[in-house]
């Protein structure tokens, strides 16, 4: 699903060079749930940005679901993000002026989907996260945990192969955090690959595999042992 | 594609509408002012540009006055015209009672019958000699010019009858219902007849704001002294040189006469239209200023929206928006705001236009101007939003993962 080999990423200013990733290699198989952990400043966010095609890299190769991302145009990267990746952000990143339905609709609109198909996918995604009855509420009318569930619905509505979660429980209390993690596990069991970036070892323990990043390099990882048959979210929702 | 974007953008706008409503109001006011101002300016420009019927670019007006007991008006005029007509480059010269287009003139009323029934037809008249038609450069449509022998002597009482006249087509039509007026007779208020001997195509008279500006009659009489005003028509390109020469000669040739002014005829026309020109310039300036302020308002709102939505734009980019999608979002949003403004502005423009037409007896606002104004404000709005929209598109998708 995700294959990074010898990736390096350097941030340069007039005075200093910061090696955010150096010789970074990581493979994530389809259906896997991987937690990427590391201390602050270790390069987790840079990894997240590169993995999510939000930023480029300087050297190395990165294949996402078999697509070589090197040299892709900005439009092609946008399309790949839209079709292959679902993002879950620490601060939810919902659009405050749009209701829940329209928030979940945002990535689907960029995919040029027909209205009827979009409506069906949004309803299914909101059903899965238990918020179908709140479709016409604004984000500000929901709790933090509910907002993050909306963000998860937005991430899975397009049926991506790969979910990238950035500290998804960082702004939630422990009960809501547990609910969100339960939901992510449920989605992973349906076959969606999940990479969870976190500094919280408790959360990381719920993933199948932990990868530790220190000074921009992978310092340790455990072998992957699949525990569920891959299946798409749409198939599960339809079934 | 764009219609698909409209609903969520509109619903987001309606939830956060203060800035958008203020800018839409600004657009509405701008449209109402713009459309009516442009319409008024166009009317003024058309008014100033009306054909005068005279050879406006080649006529010199020489204004003189005699003084003292030894001043012989008739002899002075005869000598002056003799000298002026003999100058190379002078096509014709006449003495005239009033200066066309100057705002100063004389009028009386003519009637179809000697009983002087009804209101009569107003006529702005000019006393001049047998060179009058040539000196004005008016085009004779029918009949003949005055003959030297039919020019009457000066009449200090202003009450002696004139047996013949040359009239404009417009005056002939008002008097007789036809411009085929040669030989037809009209009557003054005292029932004295005057026969039409010539019809000229067109000529504007003295008062540019008068709705009968083209009701002009030329009468064959020497104007009274001691003022003598000459119209001198020159060949093209000779006006300035002959003006200088005439001023020098006339100032020196008669010690009992003063040359008051030597000016081109278009000086008087420009002076008469000064207020129209000032209004047009003022309205153009106000309109341009308003358009600039409106564009700045749109630009400021779009810039503000981009600044407060940096994270949102990054998120949109992260979940799949291309740069062009971000540009389109802001352009559509701006178009919706501008459209709200122009819809309100169109109603306002029609209302203002209606009020102006009632208050100042102006023609009703032409709808083409409204359509043009709407298109202009749409274009202005899109141009003003373009730079902020482009800036929004440059926001990196990685902004979505920043926690600060």
């Amino acid at each position: 699903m995700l294959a990074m080999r010898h990736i390096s990423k350097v941030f340069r200013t007039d005075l200093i060079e910061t090696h955010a990733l150096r010789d970074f290699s990581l493979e994530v198989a389809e259906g896997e749930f991987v937690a990427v952990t590391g201390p602050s400043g270790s390069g987790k966010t840079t990894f997240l940005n590169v993995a999510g095609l939000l930023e480029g890299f300087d050297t190395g190769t990165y294949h996402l679901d078999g697509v070589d991302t090197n040299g892709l145009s900005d439009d092609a990267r946008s399309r790949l993000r839209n079709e292959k990746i679902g993002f879950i952000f620490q601060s939810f990143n919902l659009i405050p002026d749009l209701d829940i339905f329209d928030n979940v609709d945002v990535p689907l609109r960029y995919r040029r989907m027909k209205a009827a198909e979009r409506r069906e996918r949004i309803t299914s995604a909101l059903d899965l996260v238990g918020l179908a009855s709140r479709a016409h509420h604004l984000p500000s009318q929901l709790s933090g945990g509910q907002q993050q569930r909306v963000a998860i619905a937005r991430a899975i509505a397009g049926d991506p192969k790969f979910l990238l979660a950035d500290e998804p429980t960082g702004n939630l209390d422990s009960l809501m955090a547990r609910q969100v993690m339960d939901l992510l596990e449920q989605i992973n069991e349906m076959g969606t690959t999940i990479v969870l970036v976190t500094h919280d070892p408790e959360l990381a323990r719920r993933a199948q595999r932990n990868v530790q990043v220190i000074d921009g390099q992978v310092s340790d990882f455990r072998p992957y042992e699949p525990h569920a048959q891959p299946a798409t979210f749409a198939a599960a929702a339809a079934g | 594609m764009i219609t698909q974007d409209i609903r969520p953008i509109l619903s987001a706008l309606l939830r956060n509408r203060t800035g958008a409503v203020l800018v839409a109001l600004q657009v509405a006011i701008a449209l109402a002012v713009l459309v009516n101002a442009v319409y008024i300016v166009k009317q003024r420009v058309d008014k100033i540009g009306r054909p005068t019927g005279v050879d406006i670019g080649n006529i010199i007006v020489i204004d003189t006055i005699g003084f003292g007991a030894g001043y012989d008006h008739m002899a002075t005029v005869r000598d002056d015209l003799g000298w002026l007509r003999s100058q190379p480059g002078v096509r014709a010269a006449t003495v005239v009672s009033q200066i066309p287009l100057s705002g100063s003139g004389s009028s009386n009323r003519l009637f179809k019958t000697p009983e002087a029934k009804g209101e009569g037809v107003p006529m702005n008249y000019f006393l001049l000699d047998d060179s009058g038609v040539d000196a004005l450069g008016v085009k004779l449509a029918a009949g003949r010019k005055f003959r030297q022998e039919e020019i009457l002597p000066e009449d200090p009482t202003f009450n002696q009858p004139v047996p013949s006249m040359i009239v404009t087509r417009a005056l002939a039509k008002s008097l007789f219902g036809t411009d085929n007026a040669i030989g037809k007779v009209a009557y003054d208020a005292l029932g004295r007849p005057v026969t039409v001997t010539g019809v000229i195509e067109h000529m504007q008279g003295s008062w540019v704001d008068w709705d009968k500006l083209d009701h002009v009659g030329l009468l064959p009489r020497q104007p009274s002294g001691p003022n003598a005003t000459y119209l001198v028509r020159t060949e093209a390109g000779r006006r300035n040189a002959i003006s200088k020469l005439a001023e020098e000669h006339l100032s020196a040739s008669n010690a009992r006469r003063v040359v008051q002014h030597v000016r081109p005829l278009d000086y008087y026309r420009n002076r008469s239209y000064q207020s129209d020109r000032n209004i047009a310039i003022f309205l153009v300036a106000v309109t341009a200023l308003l358009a600039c302020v409106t564009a700045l308002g749109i630009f400021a709102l779009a810039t503000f929206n981009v600044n407060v939505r940096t994270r949102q734009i990054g998120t949109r980019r992260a979940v799949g928006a291309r740069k062009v999608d971000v540009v389109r979002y802001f352009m559509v949003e701006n178009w919706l705001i501008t459209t709200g403004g122009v819809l309100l502005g169109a109603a306002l423009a029609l209302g203002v236009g209606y009020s102006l037409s009632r208050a100042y007896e102006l023609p009703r606002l032409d709808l083409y101007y409204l359509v043009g104004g709407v298109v202009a404000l749409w274009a202005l709005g899109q141009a003003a939003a373009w730079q902020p929209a482009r800036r929004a598109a440059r926001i990196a998708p990685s902004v979505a993962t920043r926690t600060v």
Side-chain angles (χ1 to χ4, degrees):
Chain A
M1 169 55 58
L2 178 155
M4 286 182 169
R5 292 195 181 88
H6 311 296
I7 296 280
S8 73
K9 172 82 178 170
V10 181
F11 293 102
R12 292 183 177 84
T13 67
D14 289 343
L15 297 176
I16 54 167
E17 281 189 353
T18 306
H19 291 261
L21 295 178
R22 55 177 97 205
D23 199 24
F24 186 99
S25 295
L26 176 67
E27 292 200 18
V28 177
E30 192 165 339
E32 203 176 2
F33 189 163
V34 176
V36 176
T37 60
S40 189
S42 59
K44 291 193 307 293
T45 302
T46 305
F47 157 73
L48 176 91
N49 287 342
V50 171
L53 301 175
L54 304 177
E55 277 182 17
F57 47 90
D58 298 320
T59 58
T61 60
Y62 172 30
H63 287 76
L64 176 64
D65 195 28
V67 178
D68 184 357
T69 65
N70 231 342
L72 287 180
S73 69
D74 192 79
D75 280 2
R77 292 166 74 85
S78 295
R79 203 170 306 122
L80 208 55
R81 281 197 298 272
N82 182 266
E83 289 172 3
K84 306 273 186 197
I85 308 173
F87 287 94
I88 302 165
F89 304 101
Q90 179 177 355
S91 308
F92 325 137
N93 291 19
L94 299 178
I95 295 169
D97 298 325
L98 295 181
D99 65 18
I100 302 315
F101 186 95
D102 284 340
N103 262 287
V104 178
D105 194 18
V106 169
L108 305 183
R109 284 180 176 272
Y110 294 129
R111 205 183 285 188
R112 317 287 172 225
M113 251 178 216
K114 292 222 163 72
E117 188 185 351
R118 292 200 330 259
R119 198 176 311 117
E120 194 181 317
R121 281 174 180 254
I122 294 164
T123 309
S124 298
L126 286 175
D127 266 342
L128 187 83
V129 302
L131 289 170
S133 62
R134 302 294 193 98
H136 297 294
H137 284 64
L138 288 173
S140 59
Q141 295 170 308
L142 303 183
S143 69
Q146 288 173 324
Q147 289 189 43
Q148 193 59 297
R149 277 151 60 195
V150 173
I152 292 171
R154 178 180 64 189
I156 61 174
D159 198 14
K161 288 196 158 181
F162 172 40
L163 273 193
L164 202 47
D166 176 22
E167 303 278 12
T169 60
N171 287 355
L172 303 178
D173 63 33
S174 56
L175 176 65
M176 288 180 177
R178 200 159 51 244
Q179 288 174 349
V180 165
M181 284 308 293
D182 289 346
L183 194 54
L184 289 180
E185 281 177 353
Q186 188 187 341
I187 291 164
N188 175 244
E189 280 163 14
M190 292 173 188
T192 306
T193 309
I194 298 180
V195 172
L196 168 70
V197 176
T198 181
H199 68 280
D200 183 349
E202 285 294 317
L203 285 185
R205 266 197 283 278
R206 294 187 62 165
Q208 297 155 3
R209 179 159 66 106
N210 275 204
V211 173
Q212 199 169 16
V213 180
I214 293 175
D215 288 339
Q217 286 180 304
V218 176
S219 73
D220 177 34
F221 65 92
R222 283 173 236 158
Y224 168 57
E225 289 172 13
H227 74 295
Q229 287 298 312
T232 63
F233 158 71
Chain B
M1 202 69 76
I2 284 176
T3 51
Q4 186 174 287
D5 289 342
I6 287 176
R7 194 194 57 76
I9 295 174
L10 190 60
S11 73
L13 262 181
L14 292 174
R15 288 202 177 96
N16 198 357
R17 54 180 168 258
T18 309
V21 166
L22 288 176
V23 168
L25 279 177
Q26 198 178 7
V27 169
I29 293 167
L31 179 67
V33 173
L34 175 94
V35 168
N36 284 286
V38 169
Y39 191 48
I40 291 171
V41 167
K42 173 71 167 51
Q43 286 173 345
R44 303 286 164 149
V45 168
D46 286 350
K47 180 183 171 189
I48 294 169
R50 291 175 298 183
T52 61
V54 302
D55 188 10
I56 188 85
N58 295 311
I59 294 175
I60 305 164
V61 179
I62 304 171
D63 202 11
T64 69
I65 185 165
F67 58 93
Y71 173 68
D72 183 342
H73 181 67
M74 293 300 284
T76 303
V77 170
R78 186 186 60 237
D79 292 349
D80 289 347
L81 286 173
W83 183 84
L84 287 167
R85 287 168 180 158
S86 69
Q87 297 309 301
V90 172
R91 297 177 69 176
T94 186
V95 62
V96 68
S97 56
Q98 304 284 356
I99 305 166
L101 299 160
S102 66
S104 174
S106 307
S107 72
N108 62 9
R109 288 182 177 274
L110 294 177
F111 299 85
K112 284 184 185 174
T113 61
E115 296 81 28
K117 285 180 182 167
E119 285 194 354
V121 175
M123 172 179 75
N124 177 200
Y125 67 87
F126 295 85
L127 308 179
L128 35 64
D129 67 16
D130 53 306
S131 293
V133 167
D134 291 334
L136 287 164
V138 292
K139 189 177 172 197
L140 203 60
R144 59 172 177 79
K145 304 171 190 173
F146 294 133
R147 298 187 185 113
Q148 193 175 11
E149 61 273 18
E150 67 185 316
I151 306 300
L152 300 167
E154 62 176 326
D155 170 26
T157 68
F158 297 98
N159 199 26
Q160 295 301 308
V162 178
S164 59
M165 64 178 176
I166 295 172
V167 296
T168 55
R169 276 184 188 273
L171 179 57
K173 276 187 180 165
S174 292
L175 268 173
F176 308 113
T178 171
D179 57 2
N180 184 14
I182 301 299
K184 292 198 182 318
V185 178
Y187 299 87
D188 68 12
L190 299 175
R192 297 175 298 192
V194 51
T195 304
V196 176
T197 57
V199 175
I200 53 180
E201 289 281 359
H202 173 66
M203 177 181 161
Q204 290 186 331
S206 300
W207 309 286
V208 296
D209 292 318
W210 191 36
D211 64 347
K212 302 286 191 296
L213 179 60
D214 55 357
H215 276 48
V216 175
L218 307 180
L219 305 180
R221 181 184 285 285
Q222 195 76 244
S224 300
N227 284 84
T229 302
Y230 305 111
L231 299 181
V232 183
R233 184 170 165 228
T234 69
E235 289 169 359
R238 300 297 306 277
R239 189 180 68 183
N240 292 347
I242 291 171
S243 293
K244 193 161 178 271
L245 201 62
E247 186 167 11
E248 284 170 4
H249 173 80
L250 296 183
S251 298
S253 65
N254 189 334
R256 296 197 173 278
R257 188 265 315 282
V258 176
V259 176
Q260 294 176 296
H261 307 289
V262 178
R263 290 166 172 158
L265 180 57
D266 50 18
Y267 163 85
Y268 294 93
R269 183 181 64 162
N270 293 343
R271 193 178 66 181
S272 291
Y273 286 120
Q274 192 63 49
S275 67
D276 293 295
R277 196 173 293 110
N278 288 345
I279 286 170
I281 290 168
F282 174 75
L283 288 176
V284 166
V286 166
T287 306
L289 192 65
L290 197 60
C292 286
V293 170
T294 305
L296 278 175
I298 294 167
F299 176 81
L301 179 68
T303 301
F304 174 77
N305 283 339
V306 170
N307 289 343
V308 297
R309 294 180 194 160
T310 303
R311 167 69 69 91
Q312 183 190 131
I313 295 162
T315 304
R316 285 180 182 275
R317 293 279 282 130
V319 302
R322 299 165 300 164
K323 287 182 175 177
V324 68
D325 294 321
V326 175
V327 170
R328 191 171 59 215
Y329 181 95
F330 281 95
M331 299 306 274
V332 169
E333 182 181 69
N334 170 269
W335 181 81
L336 286 172
I337 295 170
T338 313
T339 300
V342 297
L343 288 177
L344 181 63
L348 203 58
L350 288 172
V352 170
Y354 180 71
S355 302
L356 286 175
S357 70
R358 290 281 298 259
Y360 301 104
E361 295 181 352
L362 296 171
R364 292 283 285 279
L365 180 66
D366 193 333
L367 287 182
Y368 287 121
Y369 287 81
L370 192 57
V371 173
V374 168
V375 172
L377 275 162
W378 268 335
L380 184 78
Q382 294 289 285
W386 176 246
Q387 194 274 342
R390 289 291 303 272
R391 200 162 61 79
R394 286 198 292 272
I395 291 172
S398 58
V399 165
T401 60
R402 285 182 201 153
T403 47
V404 182

